[in-house]
Amino acid sequence: MDTDYAAPRDGLRILVETASEYEGIRAARLFNPDDDEPFDPGHRWGRILAYTWPIDPDLTLFSGVSYMAGVRAECDRLQLRPPAWNDVVGHLAMAIDSKRYPEIVLADVDRFVRGQVPHLYGAWI
């Protein structure tokens, strides 16, 4: 994805982390662990991932860590069992619209974030 502007990496990282955490909070508010429905990571988080992946995969990691922090914090506040990281990543196809972002190879994003985010998060998620 080409852009016609440049942003300082630190500034972009702050924006990505803040937006991702908020999207995690939003997703947690819609999540009911007692339903048989899969956890929906949300299309808005998918757009963040689709934007960051081609720019810098590390931004995608920071997005995943911040997203999960938001999910966990909101689930704790609501006294809900949070979704497992594997459930979140397992449904990236629900978040990243392959028709809108055909250049994104979901398998690559999945493999990268599945392996790296839990390590950065600091605990098994």
Side-chain angles (χ1 to χ4, degrees), residues 45 60-66 68 85 89 112-123 125:
W45 185 49
T60 306
L61 295 181
F62 296 130
S63 176
V65 170
S66 298
M68 284 307 293
W85 174 240
V89 178
F112 188 71
V113 299
R114 192 179 294 274
Q116 298 297 318
V117 169
H119 172 71
L120 292 175
Y121 192 78
I125 56 175

mmCIF file of all heavy atoms in Angstrom, residues 45 60-66 68 85 89 112-123 125:
data_model
loop_
_atom_site.group_PDB
_atom_site.id
_atom_site.type_symbol
_atom_site.label_atom_id
_atom_site.label_comp_id
_atom_site.label_asym_id
_atom_site.label_seq_id
_atom_site.Cartn_x
_atom_site.Cartn_y
_atom_site.Cartn_z
ATOM 1 N N TRP A 45 -9.823 -3.060 13.170
ATOM 2 C CA TRP A 45 -8.478 -3.522 13.508
ATOM 3 C C TRP A 45 -7.830 -4.143 12.274
ATOM 4 O O TRP A 45 -6.639 -3.984 12.031
ATOM 5 C CB TRP A 45 -8.497 -4.505 14.671
ATOM 6 C CG TRP A 45 -7.121 -4.898 15.115
ATOM 7 C CD1 TRP A 45 -6.068 -4.054 15.393
ATOM 8 C CD2 TRP A 45 -6.623 -6.215 15.320
ATOM 9 N NE1 TRP A 45 -4.960 -4.782 15.762
ATOM 10 C CE2 TRP A 45 -5.281 -6.105 15.730
ATOM 11 C CE3 TRP A 45 -7.189 -7.475 15.211
ATOM 12 C CZ2 TRP A 45 -4.497 -7.216 16.022
ATOM 13 C CZ3 TRP A 45 -6.413 -8.576 15.511
ATOM 14 C CH2 TRP A 45 -5.075 -8.445 15.910
ATOM 15 N N THR A 60 2.921 -4.011 12.989
ATOM 16 C CA THR A 60 1.856 -5.000 13.110
ATOM 17 C C THR A 60 1.953 -5.710 14.459
ATOM 18 O O THR A 60 0.935 -5.973 15.104
ATOM 19 C CB THR A 60 1.944 -6.007 11.951
ATOM 20 O OG1 THR A 60 1.953 -5.291 10.719
ATOM 21 C CG2 THR A 60 0.782 -6.964 11.957
ATOM 22 N N LEU A 61 3.172 -5.994 14.903
ATOM 23 C CA LEU A 61 3.354 -6.617 16.217
ATOM 24 C C LEU A 61 2.885 -5.691 17.330
ATOM 25 O O LEU A 61 2.174 -6.116 18.246
ATOM 26 C CB LEU A 61 4.822 -6.979 16.442
ATOM 27 C CG LEU A 61 5.415 -8.040 15.540
ATOM 28 C CD1 LEU A 61 6.865 -8.289 15.916
ATOM 29 C CD2 LEU A 61 4.617 -9.324 15.613
ATOM 30 N N PHE A 62 3.299 -4.433 17.258
ATOM 31 C CA PHE A 62 2.878 -3.475 18.290
ATOM 32 C C PHE A 62 1.356 -3.337 18.295
ATOM 33 O O PHE A 62 0.738 -3.189 19.351
ATOM 34 C CB PHE A 62 3.538 -2.114 18.078
ATOM 35 C CG PHE A 62 5.032 -2.144 18.209
ATOM 36 C CD1 PHE A 62 5.832 -1.581 17.237
ATOM 37 C CD2 PHE A 62 5.646 -2.748 19.294
ATOM 38 C CE1 PHE A 62 7.219 -1.608 17.341
ATOM 39 C CE2 PHE A 62 7.024 -2.783 19.411
ATOM 40 C CZ PHE A 62 7.813 -2.209 18.442
ATOM 41 N N SER A 63 0.766 -3.409 17.117
ATOM 42 C CA SER A 63 -0.681 -3.360 17.016
ATOM 43 C C SER A 63 -1.308 -4.555 17.735
ATOM 44 O O SER A 63 -2.262 -4.404 18.496
ATOM 45 C CB SER A 63 -1.105 -3.345 15.541
ATOM 46 O OG SER A 63 -2.506 -3.382 15.421
ATOM 47 N N GLY A 64 -0.769 -5.753 17.500
ATOM 48 C CA GLY A 64 -1.314 -6.959 18.137
ATOM 49 C C GLY A 64 -1.183 -6.930 19.648
ATOM 50 O O GLY A 64 -2.108 -7.299 20.372
ATOM 51 N N VAL A 65 -0.048 -6.466 20.135
ATOM 52 C CA VAL A 65 0.166 -6.377 21.582
ATOM 53 C C VAL A 65 -0.823 -5.387 22.196
ATOM 54 O O VAL A 65 -1.467 -5.676 23.213
ATOM 55 C CB VAL A 65 1.626 -5.967 21.891
ATOM 56 C CG1 VAL A 65 1.796 -5.635 23.369
ATOM 57 C CG2 VAL A 65 2.586 -7.075 21.489
ATOM 58 N N SER A 66 -0.971 -4.233 21.576
ATOM 59 C CA SER A 66 -1.882 -3.210 22.101
ATOM 60 C C SER A 66 -3.333 -3.664 22.014
ATOM 61 O O SER A 66 -4.128 -3.414 22.920
ATOM 62 C CB SER A 66 -1.694 -1.899 21.336
ATOM 63 O OG SER A 66 -0.389 -1.417 21.518
ATOM 64 N N MET A 68 -4.455 -6.780 22.116
ATOM 65 C CA MET A 68 -4.709 -7.770 23.163
ATOM 66 C C MET A 68 -4.752 -7.128 24.544
ATOM 67 O O MET A 68 -5.529 -7.559 25.400
ATOM 68 C CB MET A 68 -3.665 -8.880 23.116
ATOM 69 C CG MET A 68 -3.887 -9.873 22.000
ATOM 70 S SD MET A 68 -5.557 -10.603 21.932
ATOM 71 C CE MET A 68 -5.581 -11.576 23.441
ATOM 72 N N TRP A 85 -5.405 -15.887 22.402
ATOM 73 C CA TRP A 85 -4.706 -15.272 21.272
ATOM 74 C C TRP A 85 -4.903 -16.085 20.005
ATOM 75 O O TRP A 85 -5.117 -15.547 18.928
ATOM 76 C CB TRP A 85 -3.233 -15.109 21.616
ATOM 77 C CG TRP A 85 -2.390 -14.630 20.484
ATOM 78 C CD1 TRP A 85 -1.326 -15.275 19.929
ATOM 79 C CD2 TRP A 85 -2.517 -13.405 19.743
ATOM 80 N NE1 TRP A 85 -0.784 -14.523 18.901
ATOM 81 C CE2 TRP A 85 -1.507 -13.377 18.775
ATOM 82 C CE3 TRP A 85 -3.408 -12.327 19.817
ATOM 83 C CZ2 TRP A 85 -1.352 -12.326 17.878
ATOM 84 C CZ3 TRP A 85 -3.254 -11.278 18.927
ATOM 85 C CH2 TRP A 85 -2.240 -11.287 17.971
ATOM 86 N N VAL A 89 -6.174 -14.593 16.426
ATOM 87 C CA VAL A 89 -5.396 -14.716 15.195
ATOM 88 C C VAL A 89 -6.082 -15.655 14.216
ATOM 89 O O VAL A 89 -6.045 -15.436 13.001
ATOM 90 C CB VAL A 89 -3.961 -15.195 15.489
ATOM 91 C CG1 VAL A 89 -3.172 -15.369 14.206
ATOM 92 C CG2 VAL A 89 -3.250 -14.213 16.395
ATOM 93 N N PHE A 112 3.471 -14.600 11.261
ATOM 94 C CA PHE A 112 4.329 -13.614 11.916
ATOM 95 C C PHE A 112 3.776 -13.194 13.278
ATOM 96 O O PHE A 112 4.478 -13.277 14.289
ATOM 97 C CB PHE A 112 4.481 -12.394 10.997
ATOM 98 C CG PHE A 112 5.486 -11.391 11.468
ATOM 99 C CD1 PHE A 112 6.840 -11.666 11.426
ATOM 100 C CD2 PHE A 112 5.078 -10.152 11.937
ATOM 101 C CE1 PHE A 112 7.771 -10.736 11.846
ATOM 102 C CE2 PHE A 112 6.001 -9.216 12.356
ATOM 103 C CZ PHE A 112 7.357 -9.497 12.310
ATOM 104 N N VAL A 113 2.523 -12.790 13.330
ATOM 105 C CA VAL A 113 1.974 -12.308 14.604
ATOM 106 C C VAL A 113 1.728 -13.447 15.583
ATOM 107 O O VAL A 113 1.879 -13.268 16.786
ATOM 108 C CB VAL A 113 0.701 -11.452 14.421
ATOM 109 C CG1 VAL A 113 0.981 -10.224 13.614
ATOM 110 C CG2 VAL A 113 -0.452 -12.226 13.849
ATOM 111 N N ARG A 114 1.372 -14.615 15.072
ATOM 112 C CA ARG A 114 1.132 -15.757 15.968
ATOM 113 C C ARG A 114 2.394 -16.119 16.746
ATOM 114 O O ARG A 114 2.342 -16.448 17.918
ATOM 115 C CB ARG A 114 0.657 -16.962 15.174
ATOM 116 C CG ARG A 114 0.120 -18.086 16.011
ATOM 117 C CD ARG A 114 -0.356 -19.232 15.138
ATOM 118 N NE ARG A 114 -1.493 -18.917 14.306
ATOM 119 C CZ ARG A 114 -2.766 -19.008 14.710
ATOM 120 N NH1 ARG A 114 -3.034 -19.373 15.936
ATOM 121 N NH2 ARG A 114 -3.746 -18.730 13.883
ATOM 122 N N GLY A 115 3.533 -16.010 16.073
ATOM 123 C CA GLY A 115 4.784 -16.369 16.723
ATOM 124 C C GLY A 115 5.386 -15.277 17.580
ATOM 125 O O GLY A 115 6.060 -15.564 18.565
ATOM 126 N N GLN A 116 5.146 -14.015 17.229
ATOM 127 C CA GLN A 116 5.856 -12.922 17.889
ATOM 128 C C GLN A 116 5.066 -12.205 18.976
ATOM 129 O O GLN A 116 5.637 -11.802 19.982
ATOM 130 C CB GLN A 116 6.294 -11.894 16.847
ATOM 131 C CG GLN A 116 7.260 -12.443 15.820
ATOM 132 C CD GLN A 116 8.563 -12.888 16.440
ATOM 133 O OE1 GLN A 116 9.117 -12.227 17.305
ATOM 134 N NE2 GLN A 116 9.070 -14.030 16.004
ATOM 135 N N VAL A 117 3.778 -11.988 18.786
ATOM 136 C CA VAL A 117 3.018 -11.190 19.745
ATOM 137 C C VAL A 117 3.032 -11.775 21.155
ATOM 138 O O VAL A 117 3.266 -11.051 22.119
ATOM 139 C CB VAL A 117 1.578 -10.921 19.252
ATOM 140 C CG1 VAL A 117 0.714 -10.340 20.356
ATOM 141 C CG2 VAL A 117 1.622 -9.971 18.062
ATOM 142 N N PRO A 118 2.803 -13.089 21.341
ATOM 143 C CA PRO A 118 2.844 -13.601 22.727
ATOM 144 C C PRO A 118 4.168 -13.333 23.418
ATOM 145 O O PRO A 118 4.199 -13.018 24.612
ATOM 146 C CB PRO A 118 2.605 -15.097 22.553
ATOM 147 C CG PRO A 118 1.808 -15.188 21.299
ATOM 148 C CD PRO A 118 2.373 -14.117 20.401
ATOM 149 N N HIS A 119 5.260 -13.407 22.684
ATOM 150 C CA HIS A 119 6.571 -13.129 23.266
ATOM 151 C C HIS A 119 6.656 -11.669 23.714
ATOM 152 O O HIS A 119 7.137 -11.362 24.810
ATOM 153 C CB HIS A 119 7.661 -13.449 22.239
ATOM 154 C CG HIS A 119 9.015 -13.018 22.656
ATOM 155 N ND1 HIS A 119 9.718 -13.635 23.669
ATOM 156 C CD2 HIS A 119 9.799 -12.004 22.232
ATOM 157 C CE1 HIS A 119 10.888 -13.009 23.830
ATOM 158 N NE2 HIS A 119 10.947 -12.025 22.976
ATOM 159 N N LEU A 120 6.202 -10.744 22.882
ATOM 160 C CA LEU A 120 6.249 -9.329 23.228
ATOM 161 C C LEU A 120 5.272 -8.964 24.333
ATOM 162 O O LEU A 120 5.485 -8.043 25.096
ATOM 163 C CB LEU A 120 5.967 -8.464 21.993
ATOM 164 C CG LEU A 120 7.018 -8.478 20.907
ATOM 165 C CD1 LEU A 120 6.541 -7.664 19.703
ATOM 166 C CD2 LEU A 120 8.340 -7.925 21.412
ATOM 167 N N TYR A 121 4.167 -9.689 24.376
ATOM 168 C CA TYR A 121 3.121 -9.400 25.388
ATOM 169 C C TYR A 121 3.645 -9.709 26.794
ATOM 170 O O TYR A 121 3.202 -9.125 27.753
ATOM 171 C CB TYR A 121 1.874 -10.225 25.069
ATOM 172 C CG TYR A 121 0.657 -9.830 25.840
ATOM 173 C CD1 TYR A 121 -0.072 -8.710 25.495
ATOM 174 C CD2 TYR A 121 0.213 -10.597 26.910
ATOM 175 C CE1 TYR A 121 -1.211 -8.345 26.188
ATOM 176 C CE2 TYR A 121 -0.919 -10.250 27.608
ATOM 177 C CZ TYR A 121 -1.633 -9.124 27.246
ATOM 178 O OH TYR A 121 -2.761 -8.785 27.931
ATOM 179 N N GLY A 122 4.586 -10.612 26.889
ATOM 180 C CA GLY A 122 5.204 -10.912 28.169
ATOM 181 C C GLY A 122 4.566 -12.048 28.937
ATOM 182 O O GLY A 122 4.931 -12.324 30.067
ATOM 183 N N ALA A 123 3.580 -12.670 28.335
ATOM 184 C CA ALA A 123 2.918 -13.773 29.022
ATOM 185 C C ALA A 123 2.195 -14.608 27.971
ATOM 186 O O ALA A 123 1.986 -14.174 26.841
ATOM 187 C CB ALA A 123 1.910 -13.249 30.037
ATOM 188 N N ILE A 125 -0.738 -15.718 26.106
ATOM 189 C CA ILE A 125 -2.038 -15.079 25.885
ATOM 190 C C ILE A 125 -2.896 -15.962 25.025
ATOM 191 O O ILE A 125 -3.938 -15.677 24.637
ATOM 192 C CB ILE A 125 -1.886 -13.677 25.261
ATOM 193 C CG1 ILE A 125 -1.104 -13.722 23.969
ATOM 194 C CG2 ILE A 125 -1.275 -12.713 26.232
ATOM 195 C CD1 ILE A 125 -1.007 -12.421 23.236
#
